[in-house]
Amino acid sequence: MSDKPQTVRQALMAELLDDLQRMADRVEALRDLQDRSEAHAKNTAQSLLQASSQFRASVDDTLARLRVEFAALMASATEHAARSVVGEQAQVLERAAMAAVRQSLTREAIQRSRTDWLRLVATGAAIGAAAGMLTACLVIYLVGLGG
């Protein structure tokens, strides 16, 4: 047989078979392209999963560090606030005590203290004088009896 078709029908059949062969080649090329695309998509998905896992781990580490730093900051701020409150309370109590002392030491209180002191001194002097007089009387009586 010769390679050239003998009839128009054979030529059309040869042309059709040639077209079918080219289509089959294209379909095969598409299958190869699809397989490569699928493999590439799987690799990309795997890379994305790995990258997202690494990112999540990084975010978790950062959040853990931030929690520790925030807790330390809150503890420091709370301690400072407590010290400030205690200091302010001590100052308020000191001022209140000073005001109470000032009120108790008014002129009237000072005058009363002087009056009470004078009474005490006068009473002491009177008792001392009475004791001296009693002693003198006793000495005179005893001297008078002895003599």
Side-chain angles (χ1 to χ4, degrees):
M1 252 205 261
S2 77
D3 285 341
K4 286 191 161 196
Q6 301 290 330
T7 64
V8 173
R9 184 174 182 186
Q10 286 178 345
L12 285 175
M13 285 298 272
E15 184 75 27
L16 179 64
L17 287 174
D18 189 44
D19 287 346
L20 285 174
Q21 183 60 44
R22 278 186 283 169
M23 284 176 66
D25 291 344
R26 282 185 174 170
V27 167
E28 188 63 36
L30 283 174
R31 282 188 187 152
D32 290 342
L33 180 63
Q34 182 183 9
D35 290 344
R36 285 194 312 257
S37 295
E38 187 176 320
H40 183 60
K42 284 180 182 178
N43 288 339
T44 302
Q46 188 65 30
S47 295
L48 284 172
L49 285 173
Q50 187 178 10
S52 67
S53 294
Q54 290 173 348
F55 179 73
R56 181 174 180 91
S58 174
V59 167
D60 289 345
D61 289 344
T62 302
L63 285 175
R65 269 189 297 113
L66 288 174
R67 282 187 191 114
V68 169
E69 289 176 18
F70 183 72
L73 179 65
M74 289 304 296
S76 174
T78 302
E79 184 178 339
H80 177 71
R83 283 186 193 151
S84 295
V85 167
V86 167
E88 288 175 13
Q89 286 177 345
Q91 289 174 354
V92 167
L93 288 174
E94 185 178 339
R95 284 191 293 250
M98 291 298 286
V101 168
R102 275 190 218 112
Q103 282 181 344
S104 69
L105 293 178
T106 60
R107 284 190 175 173
E108 184 178 321
I110 292 171
Q111 187 63 32
R112 283 187 198 150
S113 295
R114 284 183 187 160
T115 305
D116 291 344
W117 183 77
L118 288 174
R119 280 188 196 146
L120 185 61
V121 169
T123 303
I127 291 172
M133 289 172 74
L134 185 60
T135 302
C137 289
L138 188 60
V139 168
I140 292 172
Y141 174 73
L142 287 175
V143 171
L145 283 178

